[in-house]
Amino acid sequence: GIACYKLARHTEAIAAFTRAIDLNPQHAPIYLNRAMTKRELGRLDSALGDCNLALAIDEEFPGAYAERAAIHVEADREAEAVADCGRALELDGGNPLAFWVQAKLRLRAGELHQAMQFLESAVASDPTNLDIVRHRGDVHKELRNYKAAMADYDRVLAVQPGDRLARLRRIVAQQYDGDLEGALTQFNAA
C-alpha cells in the first residue's frame, strides 16, 4: 500500500490497505494510511470514517488526529480541525502534519507570520517532506522573502527536478526579486 501511495497509484494503495485491514483489523495505522490515500482522492467522508476507525482502536494515535484535522480543513470545518490539531500536538508535540494544518488555518485567516512559524516547525519535524518545504516557499514569497522562497524551491527541485510547480514558483520569486534575466533563463530552460 505505501509503495503504491508513494507512486501516486492511489486506487491500488486503497485496495492494498483494505486487504491489510482484512488480515489485521485492529491495526490502527493501516486505517490511517487508507484515510490519507482517500483524502488525496478527495474522498473526504470515507477518509474521515477511516480516521474514526483508527481512533476507535487507539484513541491516543496522534497521526489519526492530525490526518482527521487535514480532512476537516479540506472540508472547511475549521473548529474541528483546530480541535484535532490540538489533540495531535498534545500527544506528539512534533507532528509535522498537525503543524502544516495549523499553518493552513493561519493562512486562511490572513496571518502569514503565524503560518510561517507553524511551517518552520513542520519542516523542523520532517525536513524530508517536500510538500511542506514547497508550501513554506509559497509563504516566504507572500512575505516577500524571495531569496528564502527560491532556496525552498531549489531544495524541492534538487530532489524532484521535474516538479513543474516548484520550478514555476521559483521563476516567479526570482522575477519578484528583481532578477528578470535569470527568471527568463530559468523559464526558457523549463
Side-chain angles (χ1 to χ4, degrees):
I2 296 290
C4 291
Y5 177 83
K6 288 181 178 180
L7 294 171
R9 293 176 12 208
H10 296 110
T11 303
E12 293 174 54
I14 289 171
F17 292 133
T18 300
R19 285 191 301 275
I21 288 168
D22 290 342
L23 295 173
N24 191 356
Q26 293 302 309
H27 192 64
I30 304 170
Y31 291 95
L32 171 63
N33 291 337
R34 190 170 70 175
M36 183 174 58
T37 308
K38 289 177 178 179
R39 179 171 56 88
E40 289 288 326
L41 292 174
R43 295 171 49 189
L44 301 182
D45 290 336
S46 184
L48 184 63
D50 279 348
C51 284
N52 291 337
L53 289 169
L55 289 167
I57 295 166
D58 181 358
E59 64 185 32
E60 295 194 3
F61 186 13
Y65 284 105
E67 181 61 31
R68 195 166 73 175
I71 294 164
H72 287 313
V73 165
E74 290 191 28
D76 293 322
R77 293 187 295 258
E78 292 188 16
E80 292 91 338
V82 169
D84 281 342
C85 272
R87 185 67 175 133
L89 290 170
E90 181 182 308
L91 293 167
D92 173 9
N95 188 293
L97 180 57
F99 287 133
W100 193 5
V101 170
Q102 288 282 17
K104 287 181 178 185
L105 291 169
R106 299 288 55 84
L107 286 171
R108 284 186 179 179
E111 300 168 351
L112 294 176
H113 292 285
Q114 293 86 347
M116 181 57 76
Q117 290 174 347
F118 283 114
L119 286 167
E120 294 291 354
S121 296
V123 171
S125 295
D126 185 1
T128 65
N129 188 320
L130 298 178
D131 289 331
I132 296 173
V133 173
R134 184 186 314 102
H135 202 76
R136 184 178 68 177
D138 295 344
V139 176
H140 276 306
K141 188 167 54 86
E142 290 296 316
L143 290 169
R144 299 183 178 171
N145 299 331
Y146 302 122
K147 289 191 183 345
M150 288 187 286
D152 278 344
Y153 299 137
D154 285 342
R155 185 168 162 187
V156 172
L157 291 166
V159 178
Q160 297 176 342
D163 187 324
R164 293 180 182 186
L165 186 58
R167 183 158 314 281
L168 177 62
R169 290 178 178 174
R170 192 213 185 281
I171 291 167
V172 170
Q174 190 169 6
Q175 176 187 355
Y176 286 160
D177 194 43
D179 183 5
L180 300 177
E181 187 175 320
L184 185 59
T185 300
Q186 287 285 326
F187 180 78
N188 289 330

